[in-house]
Amino acid sequence: MLRNGLIYTVDGLRSRGEALAIKGDTIVYIDEETGIEAWISSHTRVLDLQGGMVLPGFVDSHCHPSAGTIQLYEVSLVGIKEVAAYLKTMRDFLEKRPGLKVLRGMGWINGLFPPGGPRKELLDQVAPHIPALVRSEDGHSLWLNSRAMEQAGITRQTPEVPGGVIERQADGSPSGVLREKAMELAAQVAPGYALRQHIEGMRFFQEQAHALGITTVFEAGMLEWRTALQARQAMAASGDLKLRCRLALEVPSDADPVMKAAEIADLRSMLKNDLLKLNTAKLFMDGVIEGTTAYLEEPYLGMGGSQGKRLWEPLKFHRACQVLDQAGLQIHVHSVGDAATHLALDGLGHARQANGFRDSRHALTHLQQVRPEDIRRFGELGVVAVPQPYWFVVDENYQQALELLGERRARRQYPMRSFFNAGVCVASASDYPVVIPPDPLVAIHHGVMRCLQGMEQVPGGVLWPEERVSVEQMIYSFTRCGAYANFLEGEIGTLEPGKKADIVVLDRDLLSIPPQEIPEVKVRLTIFNGEEVYRSPAYEG
Ligand SMILES: [Zn+2]
């Protein structure tokens, strides 16, 4: 029983209540204080909300919780903005782990290095004797030291990998960075994590998620997916899984889509737990702008006319969409560039034509450059847009986009309002671990303000202000749209009698404070399936 609060239901009428009663894992009452007494018995636990705001638990519609394992066992460079500090962080990490056999890490930013990326010699300074492999923040590039290059057998003679890039010096020798498919060349250098480590990683993520009010995640691809999936199954079986997880498996462009569809459908029927379902094929249409691998309609500036890379042949992609759609799967496409999104929509349109209408809820994510006429097609095809509002800011990534795209395109990155206006379901997401912590309140701020906190008055500090959305729309995006995107609207996404009690309690009302202050709002309480899974130390309700 929660009382004395502002309950924002996110239902059709956007109604508000003052009190909410939960029985078991289900919401049984929402309304005024006066009706609540009938629900209180001697066994009822009553929580005083002290005027806090109650929302449906947040849905993160594209993230990678298996990176919790990485957070626990690898060096993180996330949030560091200088190369010298990268080196120091890695040195400190190694000093504390003298027996380490491989240095693994993540989080460097392309923007801090020349276009060819960082050099292996730089990493040798930190780790001269063991192999070192450090992924970029976006996960699309891998920085290796000389020892790792040796062990992977990558030399001047190594041929280019289709769908990938081996960065090279003028003489053809590898300079230190592998991108996209070429990253697989280093796969044998670092062994996989154990089941125990995957379980600990997932627990670690789950704790972070609960502290941020997140109760449902779409896992858009898992690190070492077989072990990661086992870890989730083990947690679900023991009752330790306290997040609704919807999973995806990657379908690479060189795989046979028929085989892959069958594999995913098999796993789908094997998973019996309500918290754990797999129904999605994840496809990559392109890479990222910072790595000049996103596929663009117009060339990058200063890159010899390159438009980046599409990772699928259009006809092959059409066929894959048709096959996956026919198997009843959701298709979730990584699509950053405008040309990539155009092709992805073509493929989904083809599947619709070939297979007929189905409530398919396919999705495109990232959507950094989008042709205005394609936004309408999302609506027509019923395709869900999954943006990461965390990135709707002017920062070092923006500076790099400015160099690579020029001002006209850089100013028009990441549409959001246009999607809402076209009637598209817009389900927001963090892409954790690209964003750590994956705090929906920060994303709500960025979606509304389209700038870093405090930058709204700085000239040029706001990214494409015409695409700002309202606080209500951002809440809607993180709750109801997220539920819809994952076929969960019957269970969660709004606060209504009969729905699962996935609930977040905030210490302030997001709709009555200036949006600039939203990042300072604190989560007081998170309830999952009727069970309290997080309580802020400061809350005594
Ligand atoms: Zn992702």
Side-chain angles (χ1 to χ4, degrees):
M1 166 77 57
L2 311 174
R3 65 189 303 177
N4 189 23
L6 301 155
I7 295 165
Y8 185 66
T9 61
V10 204
D11 64 8
L13 301 168
R14 306 282 158 77
S15 42
R16 284 170 169 255
E18 297 167 330
L20 179 152
I22 300 166
K23 193 164 188 186
D25 61 2
T26 305
I27 298 169
V28 291
Y29 175 88
I30 300 178
D31 212 329
E32 296 170 5
E33 277 286 327
T34 46
I36 201 81
E37 304 299 337
W39 294 94
I40 300 179
S41 76
S42 56
H43 307 293
T44 308
R45 215 174 133 218
V46 180
L47 296 176
D48 182 354
L49 297 168
Q50 301 164 359
M53 185 187 210
V54 182
L55 293 173
F58 294 128
V59 180
D60 190 330
S61 292
H62 178 120
C63 56
H64 304 277
S66 55
T69 310
I70 293 169
Q71 259 195 296
L72 274 184
Y73 298 106
E74 299 188 5
V75 62
S76 169
L77 306 178
V78 172
I80 301 173
K81 314 263 154 130
E82 280 174 16
V83 174
Y86 283 168
L87 301 183
K88 179 175 185 319
T89 303
M90 289 191 278
R91 266 193 204 105
D92 292 350
F93 183 89
L94 278 171
E95 242 162 56
K96 289 189 200 118
R97 294 163 181 81
L100 203 70
K101 295 198 174 60
V102 182
L103 173 66
R104 295 169 77 163
M106 56 94 64
W108 56 274
I109 303 170
N110 276 290
L112 293 181
F113 297 99
R119 301 282 298 261
K120 58 182 191 290
E121 292 80 8
L122 203 56
L123 203 45
D124 291 346
Q125 292 176 21
V126 174
H129 305 302
I130 58 170
L133 308 98
V134 187
R135 281 184 315 285
S136 58
E137 183 188 41
D138 55 42
H140 291 262
S141 302
L142 184 67
W143 178 16
L144 285 76
N145 70 350
S146 299
R147 184 57 67 91
M149 283 286 184
E150 256 166 60
Q151 289 194 7
I154 304 167
T155 65
R156 189 180 310 188
Q157 280 77 36
T158 306
E160 281 307 318
V161 178
V165 176
I166 302 170
E167 296 288 357
R168 297 174 193 266
Q169 295 169 50
D171 67 354
S173 59
S175 59
V177 168
L178 309 175
R179 301 199 198 271
E180 306 295 348
K181 286 273 174 203
M183 296 194 290
E184 289 168 16
L185 293 173
Q188 83 265 22
V189 181
Y193 289 105
L195 176 61
R196 175 188 58 80
Q197 291 174 306
H198 274 282
I199 292 177
E200 296 202 343
M202 186 59 178
R203 274 183 211 277
F204 179 75
F205 172 81
Q206 182 169 279
E207 253 174 60
Q208 291 180 71
H210 288 161
L212 300 168
I214 296 168
T215 49
T216 296
V217 290
F218 172 69
E219 296 202 44
M222 292 173 279
L223 168 81
E224 298 165 9
W225 72 265
R226 284 172 212 278
T227 330
L229 180 59
Q230 271 179 32
R232 280 144 192 72
Q233 287 178 282
M235 287 175 70
S238 65
D240 289 341
L241 188 66
K242 288 171 183 172
L243 284 173
R244 276 169 229 288
C245 298
R246 293 297 176 266
L247 315 175
L249 228 54
E250 191 186 338
V251 177
S253 55
D254 55 4
D256 174 1
V258 176
M259 301 274 286
K260 272 293 180 189
E263 185 182 10
I264 299 173
D266 275 357
L267 287 165
R268 173 174 62 187
S269 54
M270 180 197 78
L271 293 171
K272 300 283 186 231
N273 194 297
D274 270 356
L275 300 185
L276 200 58
K277 287 197 162 62
L278 187 155
N279 190 44
T280 303
K282 162 89 183 282
L283 287 72
F284 285 90
M285 184 52 87
D286 65 349
V288 293
I289 285 176
E290 296 76 20
T292 67
T293 49
Y295 184 42
L296 301 176
E297 300 280 351
E298 288 175 52
Y300 289 92
L301 301 184
M303 298 296 295
S306 164
Q307 289 168 262
K309 275 189 175 103
R310 62 168 188 235
L311 299 176
W312 285 82
E313 277 306 317
L315 291 179
K316 209 171 165 191
F317 184 75
H318 287 194
R319 178 162 175 272
C321 286
Q322 183 178 342
V323 167
L324 296 164
D325 179 74
Q326 200 161 36
L329 299 172
Q330 283 181 276
I331 300 169
H332 187 99
V333 187
H334 167 116
S335 185
V336 171
D338 45 4
T341 290
H342 193 76
L343 276 183
L345 290 168
D346 284 351
L348 297 175
H350 169 82
R352 163 75 58 104
Q353 231 170 22
N355 300 336
F357 174 83
R358 185 172 75 81
D359 184 9
S360 51
R361 307 192 196 180
H362 302 314
L364 266 56
T365 190
H366 306 323
L367 307 168
Q368 193 162 351
Q369 294 279 302
V370 188
R371 287 163 44 164
E373 59 271 30
D374 278 339
I375 289 181
R376 187 177 40 82
R377 293 170 75 204
F378 277 78
E380 286 163 6
L381 292 167
V383 173
V384 177
V386 181
Q388 285 72 24
Y390 301 84
W391 307 339
F392 297 180
V393 296
V394 174
D395 61 359
E396 53 284 324
N397 284 318
Y398 177 81
Q399 295 310 328
Q400 207 174 14
L402 201 57
E403 274 170 43
L404 293 168
L405 303 176
E407 186 160 8
R408 175 179 49 86
R409 285 185 288 176
R411 293 307 305 174
R412 298 171 64 87
Q413 297 192 86
Y414 302 117
M416 178 102 175
R417 187 192 181 93
S418 300
F419 281 116
F420 275 105
N421 289 349
V424 177
C425 170
V426 189
S428 286
S430 66
D431 207 9
Y432 165 92
V434 179
V435 172
I436 297 178
D439 184 350
L441 294 170
V442 168
I444 291 173
H445 171 272
H446 291 358
V448 173
M449 301 301 297
R450 297 194 64 102
C451 64
L452 292 166
Q453 211 185 354
M455 291 282 280
E456 61 269 16
Q457 304 296 347
V458 177
V462 176
L463 182 67
W464 204 1
E466 292 80 4
E467 289 294 324
R468 282 175 166 163
V469 298
S470 67
V471 177
E472 286 95 332
Q473 283 171 313
M474 284 307 302
I475 293 173
Y476 188 73
S477 181
F478 267 110
T479 55
R480 224 174 142 172
C481 291
Y484 176 87
N486 291 291
F487 282 102
L488 277 165
E489 72 277 15
E491 292 172 57
I492 58 157
T494 64
L495 300 176
E496 293 174 87
K499 290 227 174 154
K500 297 287 185 200
D502 285 8
I503 291 168
V504 54
V505 181
L506 307 174
D507 68 349
R508 295 165 75 190
D509 176 6
L510 299 184
L511 296 170
S512 67
I513 60 174
Q516 292 89 326
E517 293 174 16
I518 290 177
E520 276 123 51
V521 172
K522 300 271 179 285
V523 172
R524 274 185 181 162
L525 202 67
T526 305
I527 295 173
F528 172 73
N529 250 346
E531 180 190 344
E532 183 177 313
V533 289
Y534 171 78
R535 172 180 286 249
S536 144
Y539 172 61
E540 290 163 359

